[in-house]
Amino acid sequence: MPGGLFASSRAARCRLAPDGGDELAVAWFTAAEGRGRVRAARSSDGGRTFGAAVDIDADTALGQVGVALDDDGTAFVSWWRRRADGGTDLALRTLGRDGVLGTPTVIANSP
């Protein structure tokens, strides 16, 4: 996956994926209220404004978020999530330019 600009602080960690133009996607992990979630938002004006944040994973997220933009503007968001059996999966989900979320796909796992 192509790299993005990594930003971190004590309060949040996020990944920002610019396309070289005005399209941006940002994804982040939050554990607000004790619930791990991965969220994402998009900008079409170079980051001056962003659309509403969407939940990429609202139930099983553990963190380590990555994001990249494809040539057609599709954002690919990756993160680690917890399985019911206690293992972990590295998951990938798309977020289209139109805001449509793809189905999460497991790309690797760990016992």
Side-chain angles (χ1 to χ4, degrees):
M1 222 186 248
L5 175 66
F6 181 72
S8 70
S9 72
R10 289 170 40 127
R13 291 184 183 268
C14 68
R15 294 282 291 182
L16 177 67
D19 74 345
D22 287 334
E23 292 285 325
L24 296 173
V26 63
W28 65 95
F29 172 81
T30 180
E33 300 175 8
R35 188 174 110 204
R37 295 189 310 168
V38 172
R39 308 205 76 209
R42 299 188 58 116
S43 173
S44 60
D45 60 11
R48 288 186 292 280
T49 62
F50 282 85
V54 296
D55 283 328
I56 300 297
D57 183 336
D59 299 314
T60 61
L62 294 173
Q64 298 296 318
V65 176
V67 64
L69 283 175
D70 199 351
D71 290 340
D72 70 358
T74 300
F76 292 83
V77 180
S78 63
W79 74 101
W80 285 97
R81 67 183 186 181
R82 181 181 341 94
R83 289 194 317 261
D85 67 4
T88 55
D89 291 331
L90 179 60
L92 181 74
R93 191 171 197 183
T94 58
L95 173 59
R97 184 177 274 161
D98 56 3
V100 174
L101 286 169
T103 302
T105 303
V106 173
I107 56 176
N109 55 43
S110 177

